[in-house]
Amino acid sequence: MADQVKILVICGSLRKGSYNAALTRALPELAPPGMTFTMAPAHDVMPMYNADIQEASGFPPAAEELAAAIRSADGVIVVSPEYNWTIPGALKNAIDWVSRMKDQPFKDKPVALQSCSQGPLGGSRMQYHMRMMFTYLNAFIFGTPEVIVASAQTKFDKDMKLVDETTRNFVKQQLAGFAKFIERVKA
Ligand code: FNR
């Protein structure tokens, strides 16, 4: 594996007590050697996408910051809940903004997905929609192992630490596989 693999983590939940945010915090201890993580800048400060705004004043600074963070990472992991069977609106809005940039930041970028939900399907329907979106954006979307944390309230303890061993192993396997995937994409 390459010495250093820089991962940008984009969390689709904005709430403090988020299970998805808790999962992002577990990544460093489950990662292969050399993989480091940076959290993406806040995306909830962007206005709703409107081509008139883009034409009048360009891209919002938060969209430029997010795009720069994506470009400088070796790979991106999106960790997100599912809202109404699909991608949360704020996250979709942020991706819509950066997708209109000339140097579209997801092009040729390795991307992996993770999701937590309190329901039995763990956000898998949202992941399916994200796969379509990232295919359109010409990202290199990582296949398996998938990280789909169903019934998240049973997988984290009262301090929001990921304690479920099976889930921890899936995350470990995905991160190890993603590191190899990034290496192959870069070669
Ligand atoms: C949800 N939730 C949800 N869960 C699910 O499995 N499928 C779904 O389609 C939805 N839809 C949905 C819509 C909206 C607007 C909200 C607020 C919630 C429940 C969701 O899984 C639960 O709230 C998670 O805890 C959200 O993730 P965080 O915030 O804990 O990371």
Side-chain angles (χ1 to χ4, degrees):
M1 196 182 94
D3 291 347
Q4 283 294 319
V5 185
K6 289 186 292 170
I7 303 294
L8 183 77
V9 181
I10 303 177
C11 183
S13 176
L14 304 173
R15 71 187 189 97
K16 280 199 200 81
S18 159
Y19 289 107
N20 286 278
L23 178 56
T24 71
R25 294 193 292 273
L27 297 181
E29 71 208 39
L30 301 171
M35 184 177 266
T36 59
F37 300 89
T38 305
M39 288 306 296
H43 63 263
D44 57 331
V45 292
M46 295 179 206
M48 294 307 292
Y49 179 80
N50 180 336
D52 293 341
I53 300 178
Q54 184 189 331
E55 210 170 296
S57 46
F59 291 96
E64 295 282 12
E65 271 176 57
L66 177 61
I70 295 165
R71 288 187 194 109
S72 68
D74 297 311
V76 174
I77 300 182
V78 180
V79 186
S80 177
E82 170 178 289
Y83 283 175
N84 301 312
W85 288 18
T86 189
I87 303 163
L91 177 59
K92 179 65 165 51
N93 183 53
I95 295 172
D96 288 344
W97 270 113
V98 301
S99 76
R100 303 309 292 172
M101 293 178 179
K102 217 169 173 195
D103 179 15
Q104 194 266 101
F106 284 111
K107 185 177 180 316
D108 297 339
K109 189 66 61 178
V111 175
L113 305 175
Q114 300 183 352
S115 58
C116 296
S117 106
Q118 297 188 50
L121 296 186
S124 48
R125 290 164 292 212
M126 178 281 304
Q127 290 205 19
Y128 190 62
H129 290 179
M130 274 215 184
R131 284 184 185 281
M132 291 194 278
M133 184 182 69
F134 281 121
T135 298
Y136 173 67
L137 293 176
N138 289 308
F140 289 112
I141 185 85
F142 179 76
T144 60
E146 296 167 291
V147 172
I148 296 170
V149 186
S151 305
Q153 65 281 13
T154 67
K155 312 282 168 65
F156 293 83
D157 69 10
K158 64 176 180 19
D159 300 317
M160 296 298 274
K161 185 175 160 48
L162 180 63
V163 286
D164 183 71
E165 253 334 292
T166 309
T167 307
R168 290 177 68 85
N169 278 330
F170 269 117
V171 175
K172 255 187 217 167
Q173 285 169 33
Q174 191 204 53
L175 295 178
F178 192 42
K180 288 196 186 120
F181 180 79
I182 290 171
E183 205 180 340
R184 280 205 306 275
V185 169
K186 276 182 156 180

